Amino acid sequence: MSFQTVVETRPRLNRSELAVPGSNVKLFEKAAASAADIVFLDLEDAVAPDEKEGARRNVVQALNEVDWKGKTLSVRINGLDTHYMYRDVVDVVEQAGHKLDLMMVPKVGTAADVYALDMLLTQIEAAKGIRRRIGLELIIETALGMQNVAAIAAASGRVESLHFGVADYAASTRARTTGIGGANPDYAVLTDADAGGQRLLHWGDMWHYAIARMVVAARASGVRPIDGPFGDFKDAEGFRAAARRAAILGCEGKWAIHPAQISLANEVMSPNPKEVAKARRILVAMAEAKAAGQGAVALDGRLIDIASIRQAEALVRKADEITAVGH
Ligand code: GLV
Ligand code: MG
């Protein structure tokens, strides 16, 4: 272990993160009643320029008046390169900051972007007596953001998660895509001919590098890596496959840009019951070993040690949280 310890961010369930346009008031109550772990009310790309101010007012009102049933709430502000951004922060936090858990920041490019926002939030929280510090969810969705991802993740103690914004990332890197977050058949390996002369085309995951890079940066700073949108909400299997790939690389959650994707994200991002049962047995075995003055012990023919406890504890904590929310 390094002498430098990684301080883990505040743990939260973040399996599914539902995007709700701030301009579409009808969807707010539905979002509150949904099974999404986190709801983010969007002021950015789902809102047209002439609706920005109305959406901001809707969001303030909804934060204060809708019964969110204990849901984790976030607001996606406009980018730091727009003139909407400062008022998004000032109005939303001054008028409803005590209801807000997180603020989502799009197109973060440098650690200084995070610093600027941290400063603004710190001032508003102090001025308004908001004691619960608002966390940050940062979208990595530009070449600049990806280039600086490690510094961005480490830029403030407020950072809780990094999100891979595949749509803007594709635009920024000029990647050739077929649909938001989907696969491209041209990103493939052609096998050499076999004895019969046949060649096979194996599709690859064109997002592998970007997600893996973001996961490493996030974990090295103790924050959650979250996979972003999958555009085709009628394609449940496509969503599941993309979510599974992200989960396997270390992501804890995925966006739902449509309510139909919430249960899919919760399903894929929940720990497997067999793994949870095993984790519980590891904790019992390690408690017994500790009582007997032993540091390591065998379980099912494999050695388990202190490192196994940390993983097992995290898994059991998550499973207990899922049981508590009931879906
Ligand atoms: C999300 O904001 C994305 O651009 O994919
Ligand atoms: Mg985006």
Side-chain angles (χ1 to χ4, degrees), residues 93 117-129 158:
V93 182
L117 203 66
D118 191 354
M119 180 208 64
L120 205 49
L121 287 172
T122 303
Q123 291 193 21
I124 305 171
E125 285 169 352
K128 290 287 160 188
R158 287 185 191 270

Side-chain angles (χ1 to χ4, degrees), residues 44-45 76 106-107 139 141 165-169 255:
E44 199 220 13
D45 282 355
R76 178 163 78 168
K107 303 180 182 73
I139 314 183
E141 52 182 345
V166 65
D168 275 304
Y169 184 77
W255 288 16

Side-chain angles (χ1 to χ4, degrees), residues 17-22 39-47 52 55-56 59 63 73-79 84-85 88-89 92 100 102-107 117 137-141 163-168 228-229 255 257:
E17 179 135 358
L18 179 65
V20 181
V39 171
F40 82 81
L41 302 175
D42 192 13
L43 297 175
E44 199 220 13
D45 282 355
V47 178
K52 293 280 187 200
R56 198 188 285 136
V59 164
L63 286 170
L73 292 176
S74 182
V75 170
R76 178 163 78 168
I77 59 171
N78 285 282
Y84 304 113
M85 175 264 172
D88 289 345
V89 181
V92 171
L100 201 60
L102 299 164
M103 180 162 276
M104 179 181 270
V105 192
K107 303 180 182 73
L117 203 66
E137 313 187 278
L138 307 177
I139 314 183
I140 303 301
E141 52 182 345
H163 297 239
F164 179 54
V166 65
D168 275 304
W255 288 16
I257 56 160

Side-chain angles (χ1 to χ4, degrees), residues 188-194 197-203:
V189 175
L190 183 63
T191 64
D192 288 346
D194 65 13
Q198 202 189 5
R199 306 185 75 179
L200 299 174
L201 194 68
H202 291 292
W203 290 33

Side-chain angles (χ1 to χ4, degrees), residues 33-150:
S34 77
D37 287 337
I38 300 186
V39 171
F40 82 81
L41 302 175
D42 192 13
L43 297 175
E44 199 220 13
D45 282 355
V47 178
D50 56 359
E51 292 185 58
K52 293 280 187 200
E53 295 195 359
R56 198 188 285 136
R57 284 193 297 273
N58 297 339
V59 164
V60 166
Q61 189 176 2
L63 286 170
N64 285 316
E65 292 175 12
V66 171
D67 174 6
W68 291 100
K69 304 178 176 66
K71 232 177 233 328
T72 299
L73 292 176
S74 182
V75 170
R76 178 163 78 168
I77 59 171
N78 285 282
L80 275 76
D81 59 328
T82 71
H83 65 80
Y84 304 113
M85 175 264 172
Y86 81 97
R87 196 150 287 292
D88 289 345
V89 181
V90 172
D91 283 7
V92 171
V93 182
E94 277 195 350
Q95 295 168 37
H98 52 290
K99 292 289 177 73
L100 201 60
D101 301 292
L102 299 164
M103 180 162 276
M104 179 181 270
V105 192
K107 303 180 182 73
V108 176
T110 68
D113 290 344
V114 183
Y115 186 85
L117 203 66
D118 191 354
M119 180 208 64
L120 205 49
L121 287 172
T122 303
Q123 291 193 21
I124 305 171
E125 285 169 352
K128 290 287 160 188
I130 299 168
R131 273 194 280 278
R132 199 172 49 158
R133 191 168 74 152
I134 295 166
L136 291 175
E137 313 187 278
L138 307 177
I139 314 183
I140 303 301
E141 52 182 345
T142 60
L144 183 64
M146 192 58 84
Q147 185 70 1
N148 293 317
V149 65

Side-chain angles (χ1 to χ4, degrees), residues 180-227:
I180 296 176
N184 184 334
D186 286 341
Y187 193 80
V189 175
L190 183 63
T191 64
D192 288 346
D194 65 13
Q198 202 189 5
R199 306 185 75 179
L200 299 174
L201 194 68
H202 291 292
W203 290 33
D205 178 7
M206 65 182 289
W207 308 116
H208 176 271
Y209 167 77
I211 296 179
R213 183 167 174 182
M214 184 192 76
V215 168
V216 171
R219 295 298 183 197
S221 280
V223 308
R224 295 184 291 278
I226 305 295
D227 191 25

